Amino acid sequence: PLLAMVCSQVPSRLEGFSPQDLSNMMYALALLRHRDTSTLHALAAAVPSRITEFTSQGIANTVYSIGVLKFSHRKLLRCVCRHVPDRLSEFTEQEVSNLLYGLALLKWREPRFLAAVCLHVGRHLSDFKPRGLSSTFYALALLEYRQDRFLQEACDHVQGRLGSFNAQDISNTVYALGLLEFQHPGFFLALERHLPSRLGEFTAQGLANVVYGLGLLDE
């Protein structure tokens, strides 16, 4: 009741919200898993006209939040996909992966935007942590977006970093490559050598995802 009461004040007071206030509000609602559609619509509708005032973190948190809440706002998403490519150099690796994951949760597939993201990530692979890389693979798979050049470069890179990937990162990566039907002999050879000593770290779901991904690739 308290949260609902506070949210009811938002639509009529948006003029007083800064871009950070807007993104923080949506992020908080996502953390609380509170899907108040009238509040979310008011917040999301206020973003496009002020997108240039948002920081990279604000944009990433906004898209991630509506993704978690499964609240698709077409005008906001179109605006983000038009605006972000020219600003990708401002985004940290976590912001890029969170933004992409939010879009994937909403099944929002914009090929030109995804091509720009793949080009950016491909140029900065060494800056990405294992979670960011595995999340990027996973999001692209959910969006059914396969760009072979990027996947080749990313797998070339990842095969030498498997030791820094935790079990979930590995299972998400294998699962994603399976969904994308992307074969990379070097990666899977490295995985074959690396995996036996790590199997005890995997959850049942993690193991199932690895098997499923390998099955899709007939590995």
Side-chain angles (χ1 to χ4, degrees), residues 44-200:
V47 173
S49 64
R50 304 182 66 182
I51 192 72
T52 59
E53 302 173 47
F54 276 69
T55 63
S56 57
Q57 183 180 20
I59 295 172
N61 284 353
T62 295
V63 175
Y64 175 80
S65 299
I66 63 173
V68 168
L69 292 169
K70 299 292 194 295
F71 181 81
S72 185
H73 189 281
R74 298 178 66 84
K75 187 175 181 180
L76 185 157
L77 294 171
R78 284 196 296 263
C79 175
V80 166
C81 289
R82 286 195 305 266
H83 177 77
V84 167
D86 290 335
R87 292 182 58 187
L88 277 170
S89 62
E90 301 173 27
F91 284 67
T92 66
E93 57 92 17
Q94 184 175 352
E95 290 162 2
V96 171
S97 58
N98 284 352
L99 173 61
L100 196 57
Y101 186 60
L103 293 174
L105 290 175
L106 294 171
K107 303 296 185 185
W108 187 266
R109 190 179 188 277
E110 176 52 60
R112 290 185 181 180
F113 172 79
L114 295 175
V117 170
C118 285
L119 181 62
H120 173 79
V121 176
R123 290 172 174 172
H124 298 88
L125 288 168
S126 59
D127 296 331
F128 274 68
K129 297 175 183 176
R131 177 53 52 88
L133 287 170
S134 66
S135 177
T136 298
F137 281 124
Y138 187 66
L140 292 174
L142 292 180
L143 290 168
E144 299 178 358
Y145 183 79
R146 172 174 163 165
Q147 189 186 89
D148 286 10
R149 180 177 178 179
F150 166 73
L151 292 174
Q152 181 70 40
E153 292 175 349
C155 287
D156 286 346
H157 176 79
V158 167
Q159 68 184 31
R161 292 180 60 185
L162 284 174
S164 63
F165 277 54
N166 66 28
Q168 184 179 351
D169 296 332
I170 293 172
S171 65
N172 283 352
T173 299
V174 175
Y175 179 75
L177 293 175
L179 290 178
L180 292 169
E181 299 182 352
F182 184 77
Q183 293 273 7
H184 187 285
F187 171 81
F188 286 104
L189 180 60
L191 183 69
E192 184 178 348
R193 293 170 175 169
H194 179 78
L195 202 56
S197 63
R198 302 279 306 276
L199 288 174

